[in-house]
Amino acid sequence: MSSASILGIDVGGTKVESALVDADGSVRTAHRHPTNADRGAHRVIDDIVRCVRSCLSQASRRAVAAGVGVAGQVDPETGVVRSAPSLDWREVPLRERLEDALDLPVTVANDVRAITHGVWTHGAGHGTDNLVVVFVGTGIGGGIVSDGHVLKGGQGLAGELGHTTLMPYGRSCRCRSRGCWEAYAGGWALGERARQAARTDPEAGAALIERAGDVESITGRTVHEAHEQGDPLATRLVDATAEYLGLGLASVVNAVNPERVVLGGGVIEGHPSYAEEARRIVRAQALRPAADEVEIVTSELEGRAGTVGAATMAWTHHEGGEATQKPPDSQAGRPT
């Protein structure tokens, strides 16, 4: 396998990224393409195929398989995307359509479950058999490694940490439930909480409104930028988000007892203070000795996490192993 490469494809609501990845996790070529999510699954799949072909056109070798990570719920046996809210997808047979278009074997999984494979094999999760990966971006996604196996679950949904309950009967979540961790600590939730605060007290929200242009245009990014400029309301919102993140993580540590937690995603990468506060709260709130022994670190893969993770997951499939197990020589090329 060392002489072969696999495609890693990361599909999001605004863009698709593809990369040709070697067995040691190194990226040979990569390409990014915007998605037309509002035009339906057929157009997005066309975008994926165009992105892959552009990526491969830069390479000196062909791919032997492809792995795809999608922000949504995926049936890992069939490769059907059951639900992907950011793409407005339901019951999309993604594996079948991509295998037909690319003439390659394709493995499809939830994006953060795919990232978990990459983090465990080539990143900050290497060297432990009990790992939790939490990526905070627009939402909160997770993956769990327990006793040397990536947890899969009965329907392939293990790791939906963002939809564990943080506040009973609390804020509405995009999953149709209430009080989910994501509905308090996810990027979309920060924007929503900020808009509500600015509507309630326009004077306190004046800096956010001015920065965004109007109340309805306030996003999580608006809040973070205003926080960096010292705006009091933005600072309160960011501090509350950090607390929600830490409290949710303390519950995960209690439930799973990982040796290591790897935090990543756009929110964490842009604002390291979230990771620092999460460490503090876990130490104070989680059960001992789990709280004392767990390491909480940030991802080393950063922007490559989605594509490297998807390729690593497919690498195992291509070798004939179980996608829940680490490739046998995964130490090759590990970042130091």
Side-chain angles (χ1 to χ4, degrees), residues 115 119 124-125 131-136 140-141 161 181 245-246 249 252 260-269 271-279 282 295-302 305:
I115 286 169
V119 167
L131 171 71
V132 170
V133 176
V134 176
F135 267 52
V136 186
I140 296 178
L161 301 176
W181 189 18
L245 179 63
L249 200 59
V252 171
R260 190 175 304 155
V261 174
V262 176
L263 298 175
V267 169
I268 301 297
E269 290 167 13
H271 306 278
S273 61
Y274 281 127
E276 296 166 9
E277 183 67 2
R279 290 187 194 98
V282 168
E295 298 177 87
I296 300 176
V297 301
T298 54
S299 173
E300 298 170 352
L301 296 177
E302 297 179 332

Side-chain angles (χ1 to χ4, degrees), residues 8 26 36 46 64 85 94 104 123 144 180 185 205 234 236 239 247 256 268 281 319 336:
S26 60
N36 296 288
D46 287 344
V64 297
L94 183 60
L104 289 172
I144 300 169
C180 294
R236 288 198 299 273
D239 288 348
L247 290 172
V256 182
I268 301 297
I281 291 175
E319 288 290 279
T336 58

Side-chain angles (χ1 to χ4, degrees), residues 193-278:
R193 287 166 39 228
R195 291 190 293 274
Q196 290 175 344
R199 290 189 203 104
T200 301
D201 188 346
E203 184 177 350
L208 292 175
I209 296 169
E210 181 179 1
R211 184 175 293 271
D214 57 72
V215 170
E216 299 309 314
S217 298
I218 295 171
T219 65
R221 176 173 291 183
T222 310
V223 178
H224 287 132
E225 290 173 351
H227 166 63
E228 289 170 2
Q229 298 299 314
D231 177 61
L233 175 58
T235 297
R236 288 198 299 273
L237 289 162
V238 168
D239 288 348
T241 301
E243 184 174 11
Y244 294 140
L245 179 63
L247 290 172
L249 200 59
S251 294
V252 171
V253 168
N254 286 344
V256 182
N257 187 203
E259 300 163 48
R260 190 175 304 155
V261 174
V262 176
L263 298 175
V267 169
I268 301 297
E269 290 167 13
H271 306 278
S273 61
Y274 281 127
E276 296 166 9
E277 183 67 2

Side-chain angles (χ1 to χ4, degrees), residues 33-56:
H33 192 87
T35 55
N36 296 288
D38 58 339
R39 300 184 185 180
H42 180 75
R43 291 295 298 269
V44 174
I45 293 170
D46 287 344
D47 293 332
I48 295 170
V49 172
R50 278 193 288 271
C51 183
V52 166
R53 288 176 176 161
S54 295
C55 178
L56 292 176

Side-chain angles (χ1 to χ4, degrees), residues 5 20 28-30 53-63:
S5 298
L20 194 61
R28 286 187 164 263
T29 61
R53 288 176 176 161
S54 295
C55 178
L56 292 176
S57 70
Q58 308 170 43
S60 58
R61 64 171 68 179
R62 64 182 296 273

